[in-house]
Amino acid sequence: MARLYNRALNRLKLRQLSLLVTVGQLGNIQAAAQAENISQPAATRMIKELEADFDTRLFTRTNRGVIATEQGAALIRHAQLIFAQLSNATQEMEDITEGSAGRITVGTLLAGAAQLVPLAIQRVLAERANVTIRVVEGTNDALMPRVQTGEVDLVVGRLPHHRHRKGLVQVPLIHEDVVLVVGPDHPLAGRAGLSFDDLRPFGWILPPPETTLRRQIDEVFVEAAQYEPPKVVESVNYLSNRALLSSGALIGLVPRTVAALDLTLKVLSRLDYDLPFGSGPIGVTHRGDTQLSPAARLFLLALQEEATALTQSATAS
């Protein structure tokens, strides 16, 4: 290991790593060479030099191009992290030079978007008005790889139980109840003491299969005599889901705080049915305190302070 490290330290060039990442993305050395503005022979030579330096094959050649080996995929992943870190470093230096308070990219899942993220943004902007905050929505499958490569500073939402945990820090913040909601004119709206049999005839709006929440509700369906909904819409877009619920006979599965305002305004109605998996942890995921910029650390602190305030408020009420 020391031999390979020393060899890489003395011989490795960023241009090689840039080409490596591009080949991994395009799956074709010729196309990658064009994208990197070098000749194909030069690109082939650079890949061979990398393979010699690391004493391993980085790509397997196929009829359609090249596929990264396991070792190649590992090097590509770390190369992406190097470039993300370099980009963050240069951006932070520019911010310091220009007098900016920094930049933060926050990934948010549905459960984090309703309260925690907006409250944390308000707290940070009150302290540093000229900080730039970018919010990116998505699922864990889409956002967690971007945290690992440094494209996203941190992700706020329901914490994954099994996947996307390697090399990442998970910090629970609050617990969130999940409720079933329908439109105000739904046949089940306002009915008391519902059983699962009452839910069977209706279609559902569900999160995507890769989410923790979807796996939990799927287990409920399996236990209910292998139940399969007659209609399924897979969506994490709350605005679309709310429109579908308000105008149709569908059942939605949402974090309570996400639907809180619509329930108060009677735009939606909560079903009188308690889900067996109850509450789940809402938290923040990042690559570790030492990997966060000063602005990102400030945002993390704001999240923790707002979570404490929400918990204390809920306890008092």
Side-chain angles (χ1 to χ4, degrees), residues 38 65 70 75 82 90-91 94 151 167 170 174 180 213 261 268:
I38 58 177
E70 188 174 352
L75 186 57
I82 289 171
T90 54
Q91 184 62 67
E94 286 181 8
E151 297 175 73
Q170 292 184 345
I174 59 175
L180 297 183
L213 200 54
L261 180 60
L268 298 176

Side-chain angles (χ1 to χ4, degrees), residues 38 54 69-70 77-78 126 151 188 217 249 272 275 316:
I38 58 177
F54 285 96
T69 63
E70 188 174 352
R77 186 174 67 253
H78 286 285
E151 297 175 73
L188 298 182
I217 193 64
D272 185 22
L275 292 164

Side-chain angles (χ1 to χ4, degrees), residues 173-193:
L173 297 173
I174 59 175
H175 273 70
E176 173 71 288
D177 296 324
V178 177
V179 297
L180 297 183
V181 297
V182 295
D185 299 324
H186 193 283
L188 298 182
R191 282 183 51 182

